[in-house]
Amino acid sequence: MSLRLGDTAPNFKAVTSKGEIDFYEFLGDSWGVLFSHPADFTPVCTTELGRTAQLQGEFDKRNVKVLAVSVDPVDKHLGWIGDINETQNTTVEFPLIADDNRIVSGLYDMIHPNASATATVRSVFVIGPDKKIKLTLTYPASTGRNFLEILRVIDSMQLTAKHSVATPADWNQGEDVIISTAIKTEDALKKFPKGVKEIKPYLRYTAQPESN
């Protein structure tokens, strides 16, 4: 059964390129990004894992732990990581799950028979510290994932989890945000000291609140 936003992310134990893990213990109180790959030694995924490794510091700043999954075994993962580090000029530090028994793939509905009966599709799950699924994305095999977009969405979710705001289309860190319609304008003026810009009664902007 497909996982939906707000569902509890299934826990699992798995063998990875960094040893055995319990998923919940691995995440602790961090956010998590779990993303799948059809197979090792595939070109698009090589660039994706390399890009994720290059952005490791950005994920760390946001208290996000990254975990990749492929149906290949650990020995192939280790060989592939060597290729990724060489070709993408980086160092992969996050674990790659060896899901050769398809347990994780099954829990997260990563195998779509119309795409492949045996390989995982290229899914992304963002999981909050409460272990709830906050975002799901599934990409076609020919299109590399945009990890700056994933970071942007995490920025939005972390911000809006703390404040009564939402983020508009194409929002980026530091830009104005939208005030929740649940807040009356007179209350918004007190809550947001940086000011309220009313376009319509239901569309009001304010400067981005402080993250902390």
Side-chain angles (χ1 to χ4, degrees):
M1 188 171 180
S2 297
L3 294 170
R4 298 179 180 179
L5 297 184
D7 286 351
T8 298
N11 194 26
F12 56 83
K13 289 181 170 64
V15 176
T16 80
S17 58
K18 296 289 187 178
E20 294 187 12
I21 66 161
D22 174 285
F23 185 48
Y24 278 12
E25 290 180 2
F26 172 78
L27 289 180
D29 61 358
S30 300
W31 290 67
V33 172
L34 177 68
F35 64 120
S36 56
H37 302 271
D40 294 359
F41 301 103
T42 50
V44 174
C45 294
T46 297
T47 66
E48 291 181 320
L49 285 170
R51 184 61 175 144
T52 305
Q54 292 167 359
L55 292 168
Q56 184 73 61
E58 294 299 318
F59 287 106
D60 291 344
K61 283 195 304 188
R62 293 163 173 81
N63 190 32
V64 178
K65 292 183 178 177
V66 179
L67 191 61
V69 56
S70 167
V71 296
D72 288 318
V74 167
D75 58 339
K76 286 191 69 177
H77 282 0
L78 295 175
W80 188 28
I81 288 170
D83 279 6
I84 295 164
N85 292 343
E86 176 191 348
T87 62
Q88 307 304 304
N89 192 30
T90 191
T91 301
V92 174
E93 298 287 357
F94 54 86
L96 273 67
I97 295 171
D99 193 36
D100 41 348
N101 56 15
R102 310 296 198 275
I103 289 176
V104 178
S105 305
L107 287 172
Y108 283 81
D109 192 30
M110 292 173 169
I111 294 179
H112 296 186
N114 287 338
S116 170
T118 58
T120 49
V121 295
R122 296 170 59 247
S123 296
V124 181
F125 295 88
V126 176
I127 298 157
D130 58 358
K131 307 301 185 289
K132 301 294 186 183
I133 293 174
K134 307 297 185 183
L135 172 77
T136 63
L137 293 167
T138 300
Y139 283 71
S142 57
T143 304
R145 285 170 274 207
N146 185 334
F147 288 90
L148 292 177
E149 167 63 7
I150 293 170
L151 286 169
R152 187 190 76 89
V153 176
I154 290 170
D155 283 342
S156 172
M157 291 188 294
Q158 291 183 343
L159 177 70
T160 58
K162 295 180 180 179
H163 303 280
S164 302
V165 297
T167 55
D170 297 332
W171 175 87
N172 283 292
Q173 187 73 256
E175 296 177 352
D176 288 355
V177 297
I178 293 173
I179 299 168
S180 169
T181 56
I183 301 177
K184 296 179 180 178
T185 297
E186 56 266 32
D187 295 329
L189 291 167
K190 300 173 187 175
K191 186 176 179 64
F192 301 105
K194 294 181 180 179
V196 174
K197 180 181 179 181
E198 183 174 308
I199 309 300
K200 294 285 185 180
Y202 62 87
L203 180 59
R204 298 160 301 166
Y205 290 86
T206 188
Q208 177 180 320
E210 299 298 326
S211 297
N212 297 326

